Amino acid sequence: QVQLVESGGGLVQVGGSLRLSCAASGGTLSGYVMGWFRQAPGKEREFVAAISWSWGSTYYADSVKGRFAISRDNAQNTVYLQMSSLKPEDTAVYYCAAPPRLSGMSTTGDEYEYWGQGTQVTVSA
């Protein structure tokens, strides 16, 4: 069973950058779509980005398109989320997640089976 652990969150000023990492243990990430979601206080969890397991196809929420980049290193069993031009509205707990193996790309959190514990990102104005 895949276990996911996020890291790299923190406090950053508006316009700054952060890179989140999601390391997998207990199994390989090969064959898994990987996604990033976020949840701000008092708000619903929302999709941020996803990357396919094969060709590295990516998909982004409109709110982060052009500012965030998802990537993966299957050899290192790690997925990354490079965040740039950060805004106060990006403040949230960020989670990496994976749906069942060999699933297709999805923006729906309910279709993801494995979740990390989350890492806090705070963007100060």
Side-chain angles (χ1 to χ4, degrees):
Q1 182 169 343
V2 175
Q3 296 172 331
L4 305 174
V5 178
E6 303 94 338
S7 62
L11 175 65
V12 64
Q13 292 186 331
V14 168
S17 300
L18 278 176
R19 188 176 80 157
L20 305 183
S21 299
C22 173
S25 61
T28 176
L29 285 183
S30 176
Y32 288 93
V33 165
M34 295 300 299
W36 285 95
F37 292 77
R38 67 187 182 186
Q39 187 166 21
K43 294 189 176 181
E44 298 278 322
R45 180 181 61 197
E46 65 173 347
F47 168 79
V48 176
I51 186 167
S52 69
W53 60 269
S54 57
W55 298 106
S57 299
T58 57
Y59 189 77
Y60 297 93
D62 287 343
S63 59
V64 306
K65 203 172 294 183
R67 300 188 298 120
F68 290 12
I70 187 171
S71 62
R72 64 190 299 159
D73 184 337
N74 286 336
Q76 297 294 324
N77 266 353
T78 303
V79 178
Y80 303 98
L81 185 68
Q82 178 67 49
M83 306 185 295
S84 303
S85 301
L86 284 161
K87 306 175 181 180
E89 52 264 42
D90 294 319
T91 295
V93 177
Y94 284 71
Y95 300 90
C96 69
R101 193 168 184 269
L102 302 183
S103 297
M105 295 269 275
S106 174
T107 64
T108 304
D110 289 346
E111 295 183 4
Y112 284 71
E113 182 175 5
Y114 306 103
W115 291 83
Q117 83 289 348
T119 185
Q120 176 72 46
V121 172
T122 303
V123 184
S124 64

